[in-house]
Amino acid sequence: VLRNAVHVEEPEVEKCVRDVMKEKKIEQKDTGFKTNLHISLLQISGYKKLYLNVENLRKVPYDSDNEEHEEQLIELWNLLMPHENLKARITKQWCDIGFQGDDPKTDFRGMGLLGLVNLVYFSKHYTDEARQILSHSNHPKLGYSYAIVGINLTEMAYSLLKNGALKSHLYNVVSGLPQMEHFHQFYCYLVYEFDKFWFEEEPESIMHFNQYREKFHEKIKGLLLDCDVILTLQN
């Protein structure tokens, strides 16, 4: 009964709680147990649902013929570079915010639309921080490609969600169904903390990026082992 209960949709959770209590001969009027089990089942099934939603977004390839995709890309530019207009849709200007070439769509291949949605979310909800980090990324000695690193951190957040490492964090953040919003918030934490980490470490050059990314990844995995962990930025 319990094994089935962790796979059900939200409307069926209440019935599953009653079934579990009946099976284990727990009084139905034990409201404390009932409430805690209800929350736990929502969190467990919600985590699985969140992963599927994130995975579905990752599977959507960036399509330059899709108006919504293009609007989000332009929004990203406008949020980060409010005082500079794009001269064209395909332009070297994209390198100013850390894309590799003159058309950002090629950089979204690995993470699909998820990479863009994450970048826009951070720039929209933490605009000052995003512009500050973009400014850091242009440092003459310790600079890095802002957008490329951002997409790389999307992959990190995605893999931590996929392998279950984010469970304690998400269960502590929300007593119920975790939403896409909560995944985006964790991503924002990663971007902010990675920038601090990069400048504290002072790598010799961007050529050592993978080595320091892995070191940062291990640090985050270590933090997530704490069952009381909450890794979010405060507005």
Side-chain angles (χ1 to χ4, degrees):
V1 171
L2 187 54
R3 198 175 292 122
N4 291 335
V6 299
H7 298 287
V8 299
E9 293 290 317
E10 186 179 1
E12 301 163 291
V13 168
E14 190 64 49
K15 180 184 179 301
C16 287
V17 170
R18 288 198 301 272
D19 291 347
V20 169
M21 292 178 77
K22 184 179 171 186
E23 191 73 27
K24 301 300 286 181
K25 299 182 174 58
I26 297 165
E27 295 266 340
Q28 292 289 335
K29 61 176 180 280
D30 186 343
T31 54
F33 180 87
K34 187 183 282 188
T35 301
N36 288 335
L37 181 58
H38 191 273
I39 289 170
S40 298
L41 290 178
L42 278 180
Q43 289 179 319
I44 294 166
S45 60
Y47 188 96
K48 292 174 180 175
K49 192 173 181 184
L50 173 62
Y51 167 68
L52 290 175
N53 290 339
V54 168
E55 173 68 353
N56 287 337
L57 194 55
R58 186 188 73 83
K59 282 180 180 171
V60 177
Y62 184 90
D63 179 4
S64 48
D65 293 327
N66 184 310
E67 207 173 298
E68 282 182 25
H69 294 189
E70 288 286 288
E71 280 173 6
Q72 286 189 73
L73 186 58
I74 300 303
E75 183 181 13
L76 176 65
W77 175 269
N78 291 334
L79 285 163
L80 292 172
M81 304 288 276
H83 305 303
E84 191 177 326
N85 292 327
L86 272 176
K87 294 181 174 67
R89 165 58 183 80
I90 294 176
T91 167
K92 288 282 181 223
Q93 284 176 287
W94 290 113
C95 297
D96 296 345
I97 60 171
F99 286 103
Q100 283 179 321
D102 53 8
D103 190 350
K105 76 173 185 181
T106 57
D107 293 326
F108 292 118
R109 280 183 192 142
M111 287 289 110
L113 202 59
L114 181 64
L116 176 58
V117 170
N118 272 167
L119 282 167
V120 172
Y121 185 96
F122 180 58
S123 302
K124 199 173 189 173
H125 291 83
Y126 300 95
T127 310
D128 290 344
E129 289 85 348
R131 289 174 187 168
Q132 185 181 33
I133 290 170
L134 175 62
S135 170
H136 291 172
S137 75
N138 290 319
H139 189 281
K141 184 173 181 292
L142 298 172
Y144 58 85
S145 300
Y146 176 84
I148 295 297
V149 169
I151 295 167
N152 202 290
L153 292 171
T154 289
E155 194 282 326
M156 188 182 293
Y158 163 78
S159 68
L160 290 166
L161 179 72
K162 185 179 182 179
N163 67 22
L166 281 190
K167 283 179 181 174
S168 289
H169 161 72
L170 286 172
Y171 294 168
N172 291 331
V173 166
V174 54
S175 58
L177 289 168
Q179 305 291 336
M180 186 68 84
E181 174 93 3
H182 300 113
F183 176 77
H184 292 328
Q185 285 286 341
F186 175 69
Y187 168 80
C188 293
Y189 171 86
L190 287 185
V191 175
Y192 189 79
E193 290 299 318
F194 178 80
D195 181 68
K196 279 202 309 191
F197 172 83
W198 182 260
F199 279 87
E200 283 164 8
E201 293 286 329
E202 297 187 349
E204 284 176 40
S205 81
I206 194 66
M207 302 305 290
H208 298 285
F209 174 77
N210 286 341
Q211 174 191 335
Y212 286 94
R213 181 216 190 264
E214 202 43 48
K215 190 175 178 183
F216 179 70
H217 193 190
E218 290 302 318
K219 179 185 176 183
I220 297 297
K221 284 194 285 189
L223 293 173
L224 290 168
L225 292 174
D226 178 0
C227 60
D228 297 317
V229 70
I230 293 180
L231 302 181
T232 53
L233 281 181
Q234 299 306 314
N235 250 329

